[in-house]
Amino acid sequence: MASFSTPVKHKSSPHPPNTRADVNKDSDAVQHGWASELEDRINLLPEQPDAFIDKLLPCSIPFPNDADHSDLEDAFKDYNPGPGKEVAEYGGLLAGLRKVVEPLEEGRKLEIADTHGKEMTFPFHAFKDHHHPTFPDITVSFPGQPLVPGSWRHISMVMEVKASESQDPFPHSGEEHVRTIEQLAKSARNLLLVHGLLHVYLIGIYGNAIRITRFDHSCALVSVQFSLEHGGAKILRKFFWHFTHPIVGDTVVGADPTVAPLDKESQEWIKAQLAVAKPRNWERHIAALEEGRRVEVYDEKTGRCIPYLLYHLIDVNGRLFSRATMVWRAIEDTRVWENGCLVPDKTCTAPAKPRILKEAWRQVVRTAETEVYKRLQEKISEEERFGLAKMECGGDIGALEMKWWERTQDGHLSETSNATETSLRGESQCATGVVTHAVLFCSTGSNGPDAVPFVNPSPGFLPDKPYPLLHPQHQTYSWRLCDKDFWHRERSHMRMVIDDVGRPLHEFTSTREMVMAMRDAIKGHQQAKERAGVLHRDISLGNILIVDDVSERAYTGFVHDFDYSSMDDTEERGSECCESILDGSTAVSTGADAAKLKERTGTFYYMAVDLLDNQPDTIHDSHFDLESFYWVFCWVVLRHTVCRSKTSGEGGQKLCEDLFISSNVKNARSNKREWFFTAGISLEVPGNVPLTTLWLAFTDLASGSHLPARFQHLKTLLSYKEVLDAFDKALNMDGWPENDWIRCTLLDKSPQTGIAPVVTILADVPRDSSKPAPTGPRQLRSHTTQARLATTSRSAPPLASTSHLPGPPAPAAFRPGPVTRSASKRMFAATQPSPLDDPRPPSKRSKAGSSGPGRAGSSSKRPPT
């Protein structure tokens, strides 16, 4: 592999949230996270609004541009915006907007409501406390559907309103304007997740000035400003016409034709199936069935699209520009269409088996996760597989769609793409069971003409009709609209079904079960690396699961989510992957070229210290993943067991708060290095000798590669054998308590920020200096978000990297505890300054004269590193 490193680009708030600083929407950490999230990802397109709409919202029925639109001349006569009049003018604004959408035919009409000041929580109940609430100003229904107040499920679009044109955030900088964009971004995130949309549209109204913004999971595209006083009402009418007349699907432009909400009949069918199968905790898992959905899973092995019913959300990545991973419990929908309705298949008598369904938007420069699972299944037989998830079916819908689009663009089809062509708009039934326009993917059981080719296809099958849209939508195309050199920033939509069903590691019933699950996951990690040449590279709390039904498996826990993994000899596979994601004007010689764009990855809290150091010769290898297992172990034990420091007496949750307090890279690695020689070696779990023994042994092993400089000759790297031996020794001990899980209270009475980052440690593709900079869209980096970055990072040192992102704000200082030494550390204990030299309580030591560790005025003492 290449002997270079890639710089850290910290993207958003930590996942899971650790302290109050991670969760308060007004905190520097959260605001900086959103500013970082948005930096370099807001692009102004130069096209005039009409062209913007035609390019991004092609419609099935042309807008009646030549019709009489004179009714719009006085549509906004009662709207007189101005400073301090935002709320007072809502009545006139709403009246004008309702006049704009009035010509929409029955079944396409929109409800528009004033919702300003009304709190709306995150759309998934189990995670509503993970994100602070939002207050959208104006909300819009789906065509022909009622608008239910306070429900994201009934909203298709949001409008944010400001009193004057000077509050348009896109050409300006400053705190206020950054927050305005954040409001748009949070609404976009919620709409994308709750409906499974492929992209979403929001409208900003700044006095009489209007902008349309299109968000997907890679970036945002912003229209040129237009005015209500100079023809803007007609432009809005055209926009809403296009928005409600999609070529693909039956709701709005941006809706995924392979997704449908769970209707009442589907919910009852799920209950009936699970009542027969009786999987673990199934009654708890159906508590929020209205949040579920029916989706089509494209299976690369067969070419079929298989319907699944998603009934319980296990995890969700709450970041906007990200993989946006959602992990669900699901069952296959074995019903068939009869007379326009889904009915039970009388030939199918086997009870439904719950599965794990993962949906994500992968970075196109990465090898598809399905390729990794194929490699694992090729190299490791079913009988030998241990501690590893197995893919049952799945594929990259975005890659398939891109091939179809490219074939259409290359003229390999006799027909030409035409939005009004009847063959593309033939009536068919897809996931909803209702008549739709063109259907790109449909499952077995659909009886429409466009769905037939996918009933009994072959692998790699593509329809013989032209792709009906101007651009792909299951693979983002936004960056390529800005500049084709930015292809590497696109994302591709994939779904996969895993046959192992499990629960998160932190939901263990006993610490012995948790330790067994971690041990088995480490064995699975070893098997993947040594037998298949697969290195996971993103060991985190969410990627280790405890098996629901251990009677069906030889292992208690397993590792999954190989989206960031690497494979040996990936050149041939990577090349094939790259060819499927690029259009004819872009070429990549081999998969290795694309792989070099991303070298080291990880979820921030659990990353190995040396990966945070950004040293040029540091390459992600297995010992770094083993250290990530250690930090996951720390997180779970400190938060969910009754443990304490033997020296300071501080409890585990307080220790966890101090250890993982920083979202600043420099402070995070300092905290972790110090941990090994302070609180980390003084922990005990009263009444649990085996777990205490394992804790001390694992800490001793993990610290071996982080000795002070004078002891570098004693440095050792973590190995599978030593780590597994420590786990086995502890598991063979007597004295494990039962039912010793405790609930973490660190986040009580505090809104959380949600699931955010894999810290992508990424390298930007070097730009050829001989080529001119793009002259089309403009990235709003030096305005908007840069203001927030400058505001929240004044006291933070910049990252030692070529990343565009300045260093995040440094949080409160790490609070070291008193020092003790394990046997292997006593040789240099006397040579290190100790926090015991400071007579103040541990909670006070780092605060006097310091705003954080490692900065001017700090009096906190640290062991040399």
Side-chain angles (χ1 to χ4, degrees), residues 613-629:
D613 267 338
N614 198 40
Q615 295 300 315
D617 295 328
T618 302
I619 299 299
H620 201 138
D621 208 344
S622 57
H623 60 277
F624 292 132
D625 277 10
L626 288 171
E627 186 176 326
S628 293
F629 276 109

Side-chain angles (χ1 to χ4, degrees), residues 53 244 589:
I53 294 169
T244 57
S589 58

Side-chain angles (χ1 to χ4, degrees), residues 83-125:
K85 298 172 62 178
E86 175 186 326
V87 175
E89 294 300 317
Y90 270 36
L93 177 59
L94 287 168
L97 291 170
R98 288 164 182 159
K99 176 70 73 172
V100 165
V101 301
E102 199 171 74
L104 293 174
E105 62 269 38
E106 290 299 323
R108 293 284 153 192
K109 291 193 178 296
L110 298 172
E111 288 189 14
I112 302 176
D114 171 10
T115 52
H116 87 278
K118 297 178 181 177
E119 179 179 292
M120 293 186 64
T121 58
F122 189 67
F124 296 98
H125 180 77

Side-chain angles (χ1 to χ4, degrees), residues 10-17 21-24 27-34 36-37 130 132 317 319 604-605 663 752-758:
H10 189 68
K11 289 187 174 179
S12 186
S13 327
H15 160 59
D22 291 336
V23 304
N24 187 333
S27 73
D28 279 350
V30 172
Q31 291 181 11
H32 176 267
W34 273 104
S36 176
E37 182 91 6
H130 292 200
H132 47 259
N317 181 339
R319 280 181 39 231
F604 185 71
Y605 279 149
S663 59
Q752 308 167 18
T753 48
I755 296 184
V758 171

Side-chain angles (χ1 to χ4, degrees), residues 666-667 670 797 850 852-858 860 862:
K666 180 178 179 179
N667 291 345
S670 296
S850 174
R855 285 176 279 174
S858 174
S860 127
R862 297 176 175 279

